[in-house]
Amino acid sequence: MAEAVAGRDPGPVRFGIRARLLLAFVAVAALSVVACGLGWLSYDRLGGTLDEFAESHLPALGLAARLAEEGGSIIATAPILANAQTEPELGAIRDALGRRLAALRALAAEGERGVPGLRPLVDALGHNLTDLDATVRHRLALARRNQEGIERLRWLHADFLDEIEPLVTDARFNIQSALDLVEAGSRSAEAVRVLRAESRRSEAVLQIGANGNLAVGLIARAATLATTEALDDNAGFLEETADRLQRDLATLDDWADGVSLAQLVARLLELARGDGSVPELRRAELAAADQGQGLLAENRTLVARLNGLIAQQVQSVETTSRAAAARSAQAIAAGRSALLASALVSLLVAVLVAWLYVNRSIISRLTRLGSAAHEIAAGNLQADIPLGGNDELSQMAAALLVFRDTAIAVEEANAQAIIDNAQAGLATTDADGVIEFVNPLAAALIAAPEGGADGSADGRLAERLEPAGARRVEDFFRAARAAPDDAAPSLSILTAGRRPDGRPVPVQVGIRPFRRRQQQRFIVTLTDMTERVEAQQLLERTVAERTADLRTTNARLERSIAEHQRAERDLRDTQAELVQAGKLAALGQLAAGVGHELNQPLSAIRSYAHNGRKLIALGRVAEAEGNLGKIADLTARMANITNHLKRFARRPDTRLGAVELALVVQGALSLFGDRLREEAVELTVELPEDGAPLRVRAEEVRLEQVLVNLLSNALDAVAGAPRRRVAIAAEAAEDTVRITVRDSGPGIPDAVAGQVFDPFFTTKPVGAGLGLGLSISYNIVRDFGGALSVAESGPGGTAFLLTLTRA
């Protein structure tokens, strides 16, 4: 075979593919160099024109653009400055305009030679902005003084109303008393005089009240009017109202009770008249705003003149740029024509090289050679290899021929060696299941049946297996023959083979397809399963023994779990009884305060009922109906107190849900209202108020009991403190809510700080507590999935922290 290959050697290569391709690429590269030279000449001409444009025209255009940008920023920001409403806003806008004006002055200094008249225009613009800033500051100062006057007007109006209402009430009472005397038959001159005097005073007071309210409304309206014409109209009404006020006050000069009212009216008239009055301040504010609008119009004129100078500069640069662009276009057109011609020549040469040589002499031969190599790689060692020629490709074809012949010899020599030396039982069969090769290990597992041939590679595979396994193997080979080549099946079964001495042996048989020289073959893997079968049997016996032990242990565990569940139910019942006892104890401590809380509305009801009876007797039914309505409101208040006590005393629900924290805090505090007032305790409550109501995962009655216990302890702690203060605060996180109850008491001693949650532990005197409140609260919070702890304690007070899950 080696001699045959040597006879096909094409000999040494003199002018091969490498030299030919090198010559072709040199020709294409020479044409590319020519094209680059033409392009360089064209771009050199274009570069000169662009350099001229960049050195002379671009700086002028950039300066004009920056001047236009800064001018536009000033004309956009100046109206904002003129309309500023607060000092901080004015300061921010003034700083921004200052930076813009400084940048504009720097640009004016840079382009002073190229743009005549630019510097004086920028200076005038700076003076305009300075005057505008001073005008706006003056307007804001007037607006601030006007606002202060309105604030004084609000307080003065409140004092005025507080003074008018008692005077009207007294006058009506005196008139009614005089009428009662007259109706009773006492028609003395004194009674008539009193009736006339009180009627006159009552009428004057009512007129003063009406005119005072009208004056307040006119003054407040003057502070917001937008024009001086509206201010003048409003001033006329205000002056007329002030005159009426003074005339009505004159009728009360001899009345001592009207002195304070006269002083309030005088102060009201000060806000309506004079230089510092609200209308005059508004008038000055409108004048300042009009002055600012005038300065703003002047600002627009100056910026328009600046834009005119910039437009002249841009037009000059544009004319020069058009001429440069025309020269650049001529240079580009000439370069484009030269580059197009060189590109066409290069393309023609490349096409000729690719078609006449590369495709015919290289690509087609490489394609045939690649197809032959692909067939050999796929297992077809009889593939045709194209030979001929005297170049590198002919040498590759000769080498591939040698590789193909060597692969055939090596395949045939190694197939049997691999099977014979394998450490597992291996055999090969054809597509019908006839054994072709078998190694010694496989021969010891599937020996030929008695009376058959004793060779190691004869007969069918199914004949050497027990009947059930033989049937499955025969079915497999029938299915494999019917299946397509790309979907050949595989098989793995546990069956019984035969030792050479005739004894059966358990064997794991695996059959997989493979191809050799384009033909379907099967490789059979045989594994001795004797040890595995014995181990499996031993494992099954062990599993049966362990299963019996587990059943016995499981029965004991079930009995133990049942006992634990009964104990847990007993513990929960006991805990519920303790919780109920703690609630009833808290109610007992609150009984006195609740009784006092009910006594107050009862006393008020008695008073309203007595007055109502007398009013009905006098025929004043409307006033009696008012007393009856107040009695109904008080009875509703008493019903709310008793209903809350009944709800707090009932047994809680074991189910947890979303509870609104604000309602629970309000319910707990309602039980301590009287105690907080009597003991003069300062109470602060801080709950989040933004967004939806804050809810926690708990049970409403039990959570209220926890807060009642904590508030009761806090009130006991501050009983002897110099400053009695209790604070409740809630802080919401993403998943939790932290509730803090803080007092200003003496704190918990360090020696007993760790025992406060133990049952029946208390620092109170004997008879003042059972020591169950904190212990019960701790267990309730733990049932909620939360935690109760002492956040801090010291001479300044104690804080308990309640952490719950957010619902």
Side-chain angles (χ1 to χ4, degrees):
M1 184 179 293
E3 293 177 357
V5 174
R8 299 190 188 96
D9 190 355
V13 178
R14 294 183 179 179
F15 191 69
I17 296 175
R18 180 182 302 171
R20 297 171 193 171
L21 288 177
L22 180 61
L23 181 61
F25 288 143
V26 166
V28 175
L31 291 174
S32 299
V33 170
V34 172
C36 290
L38 293 174
W40 181 82
L41 292 175
S42 300
Y43 284 119
D44 183 61
R45 292 178 58 193
L46 178 62
T49 305
L50 292 177
D51 289 341
E52 177 186 355
F53 183 80
E55 291 175 358
S56 60
H57 306 318
L58 284 181
L61 286 175
L63 177 62
R66 286 182 288 169
L67 285 171
E69 179 183 0
E70 298 298 337
S73 300
I74 289 175
I75 200 172
T77 311
I80 302 175
L81 177 66
N83 296 317
Q85 300 299 322
T86 62
E87 290 290 345
E89 181 183 0
L90 176 63
I93 299 172
R94 182 171 59 247
D95 294 341
L97 280 175
R99 291 192 295 270
R100 295 293 184 184
L101 188 60
L104 191 61
R105 283 173 175 164
L107 292 175
E110 180 181 346
E112 188 173 4
R113 296 180 180 178
V115 187
L118 180 61
R119 186 63 176 271
L121 188 59
V122 172
D123 292 339
L125 189 60
H127 294 317
N128 173 266
L129 291 176
T130 302
D131 295 340
L132 181 60
D133 175 64
T135 302
V136 173
R137 281 201 306 256
H138 178 60
R139 177 177 60 80
L140 290 179
L142 292 172
R144 186 169 58 251
R145 291 179 57 192
N146 198 353
Q147 186 63 31
E148 292 172 355
I150 293 299
E151 290 296 327
R152 292 198 305 273
L153 179 65
R154 290 195 185 98
W155 290 109
L156 186 59
H157 187 212
D159 294 341
F160 178 77
L161 294 177
D162 291 342
E163 188 68 27
I164 281 289
E165 290 179 0
L167 293 177
V168 172
T169 302
D170 291 345
R172 288 178 178 174
F173 181 80
N174 293 333
I175 291 172
Q176 186 62 43
S177 300
L179 287 174
D180 291 341
L181 292 175
V182 173
E183 291 176 357
S186 175
R187 299 182 178 273
S188 62
E190 179 63 23
V192 174
R193 185 188 63 78
V194 171
L195 181 60
R196 290 176 179 174
E198 292 299 333
S199 298
R200 179 176 55 81
R201 290 173 182 170
S202 176
E203 182 180 357
V205 169
L206 290 175
Q207 289 292 334
I208 291 172
N211 291 323
N213 289 328
L214 179 59
V216 170
L218 292 173
I219 294 171
R221 181 171 178 268
T224 59
L225 291 176
T227 62
T228 55
E229 291 79 5
L231 274 174
D232 293 337
D233 295 340
N234 191 77
F237 291 122
L238 186 58
E239 185 66 28
E240 182 180 352
T241 302
D243 293 340
R244 288 199 299 268
L245 278 173
Q246 289 179 339
R247 287 197 303 271
D248 292 333
L249 280 174
T251 62
L252 301 178
D253 289 341
D254 57 345
W255 192 24
D257 294 340
V259 174
S260 299
L261 180 62
Q263 293 175 352
L264 290 174
V265 171
R267 291 167 58 190
L268 182 64
L269 293 179
E270 290 177 0
L271 293 176
R273 298 172 173 174
D275 294 337
S277 64
V278 171
E280 291 303 319
L281 289 175
R282 182 59 180 172
R283 194 182 305 277
E285 184 181 353
L286 291 177
D290 292 339
Q291 184 181 0
Q293 293 299 320
L295 291 173
L296 191 61
E298 181 183 353
N299 178 271
R300 294 193 188 97
T301 302
L302 293 174
V303 174
R305 290 172 56 193
L306 176 64
N307 290 334
L309 291 177
I310 295 171
Q312 294 176 4
Q313 179 68 12
V314 171
Q315 185 176 6
S316 175
V317 173
E318 183 180 358
T319 302
T320 309
S321 300
R322 284 201 185 99
R327 294 195 300 272
S328 300
Q330 294 175 357
I332 291 172
R336 185 185 297 116
S337 300
L339 288 175
L340 180 61
S342 62
L344 290 175
V345 174
S346 300
L347 180 62
L348 179 61
V349 172
V351 168
L352 291 176
V353 171
W355 176 255
L356 296 179
Y357 177 68
V358 174
N359 184 58
R360 286 187 176 183
S361 300
I362 299 177
I363 300 299
S364 60
R365 293 172 63 193
L366 278 174
T367 302
R368 294 195 300 272
L369 196 59
S371 299
H374 182 71
E375 291 183 11
I376 293 172
N380 184 14
L381 299 182
Q382 303 300 325
D384 183 29
I385 298 175
L387 299 172
N390 187 21
D391 55 15
E392 289 87 345
L393 291 179
S394 60
Q395 291 179 346
M396 290 175 60
L400 185 60
L401 180 61
V402 173
F403 172 78
R404 185 195 67 179
D405 296 340
T406 304
I408 293 173
V410 170
E411 181 189 46
E412 293 175 350
N414 289 341
Q416 185 63 39
I418 292 172
I419 294 176
D420 290 342
N421 296 314
Q423 297 297 317
L426 295 176
T428 61
T429 71
D430 60 8
D432 296 325
V434 177
I435 298 175
E436 294 179 345
F437 299 103
V438 62
N439 69 349
L441 289 177
L445 297 175
I446 52 172
E450 295 181 0
D454 57 0
S456 62
D458 54 3
R460 302 175 68 85
L461 175 62
E463 296 173 353
R464 304 192 179 192
L465 301 174
E466 55 92 16
R471 285 193 299 272
R472 295 187 62 182
V473 170
E474 287 293 346
D475 293 341
F476 167 76
F477 280 113
R478 278 196 298 270
R481 286 193 297 272
D485 292 341
D486 57 349
S490 60
L491 178 67
S492 178
I493 61 172
L494 179 63
T495 183
R498 185 181 298 106
R499 296 284 189 188
D501 57 5
R503 290 183 296 109
V505 58
V507 178
Q508 181 75 34
V509 179
I511 307 175
R512 289 186 176 275
F514 75 98
R515 301 188 68 83
R516 187 175 67 184
R517 299 183 186 177
Q518 302 301 316
Q519 294 181 353
Q520 184 75 44
R521 294 290 187 271
F522 291 90
I523 185 168
V524 182
T525 305
L526 302 166
T527 306
D528 187 355
M529 302 297 291
T530 302
E531 294 182 359
R532 188 177 298 179
V533 170
E534 292 176 352
Q536 184 175 359
Q537 293 174 353
L538 178 61
L539 179 61
E540 290 176 353
R541 290 194 299 270
T542 304
V543 169
E545 294 173 358
R546 295 290 177 87
T547 302
D549 294 340
L550 285 175
R551 288 196 181 97
T552 304
T553 304
N554 189 34
R556 290 198 301 269
L557 286 175
E558 289 178 352
R559 290 193 297 271
S560 178
I561 289 171
E563 294 176 359
H564 281 296
Q565 289 176 345
R566 286 194 298 272
E568 184 178 357
R569 286 194 298 271
D570 294 341
L571 180 60
R572 288 186 178 276
D573 292 341
T574 303
Q575 183 180 355
E577 293 297 333
L578 285 175
V579 169
Q580 190 68 14
K583 288 165 50 178
L584 295 176
L587 284 175
Q589 294 176 359
L590 295 172
V594 171
H596 184 72
E597 190 75 16
L598 295 176
N599 282 333
Q600 288 182 344
L602 283 173
S603 299
I605 288 172
R606 186 185 305 109
S607 175
Y608 283 128
H610 176 74
N611 293 338
R613 189 165 54 250
K614 289 197 171 186
L615 290 172
I616 291 174
L618 293 174
R620 295 157 63 181
V621 179
E623 297 182 23
E625 289 180 353
N627 284 3
L628 292 177
K630 294 178 181 179
I631 291 173
D633 294 339
L634 290 172
T635 55
R637 174 183 168 188
M638 294 172 63
N640 289 334
I641 294 173
T642 56
N643 288 335
H644 184 72
L645 288 175
K646 288 190 294 183
R647 185 180 64 82
F648 182 73
R650 77 169 186 262
R651 288 186 176 272
D653 194 354
T654 57
R655 293 172 297 179
L656 302 183
V659 177
E660 188 171 342
L661 182 60
L663 296 179
V664 176
V665 173
Q666 182 180 359
L669 289 175
S670 67
L671 299 176
F672 294 97
D674 186 66
R675 184 175 176 184
L676 290 170
R677 289 189 297 270
E678 287 185 353
E679 298 181 6
V681 177
E682 179 184 353
L683 175 68
T684 59
V685 180
E686 297 180 2
L687 299 178
E689 297 181 355
D690 52 338
L694 183 61
R695 291 182 172 87
V696 296
R697 185 175 181 273
E699 195 276 323
E700 184 176 3
V701 176
R702 287 190 286 168
L703 179 58
E704 184 175 340
Q705 181 181 354
V706 172
L707 292 177
V708 167
N709 290 338
L710 295 178
L711 285 171
S712 178
N713 289 343
L715 291 174
D716 291 340
V718 302
R723 183 180 182 183
R724 302 173 182 178
R725 183 176 182 181
V726 175
I728 302 175
E731 178 183 358
E734 183 177 358
D735 298 324
T736 60
V737 176
R738 296 162 55 91
I739 306 166
T740 305
V741 179
R742 188 184 303 272
D743 61 63
S744 60
I748 302 173
D750 294 338
V752 298
Q755 306 175 35
V756 293
F757 295 110
D758 293 344
F760 303 106
F761 176 80
T762 179
T763 58
K764 299 177 183 178
V766 177
L770 298 177
L772 291 175
L774 288 178
S775 177
I776 291 173
S777 300
Y778 181 86
N779 290 317
I780 290 174
V781 175
R782 186 180 61 182
D783 291 342
F784 293 164
L788 177 62
S789 61
V790 180
E792 59 182 75
S793 182
T798 302
F800 282 89
L801 176 62
L802 174 59
T803 304
L804 296 174
T805 303
R806 187 169 184 176

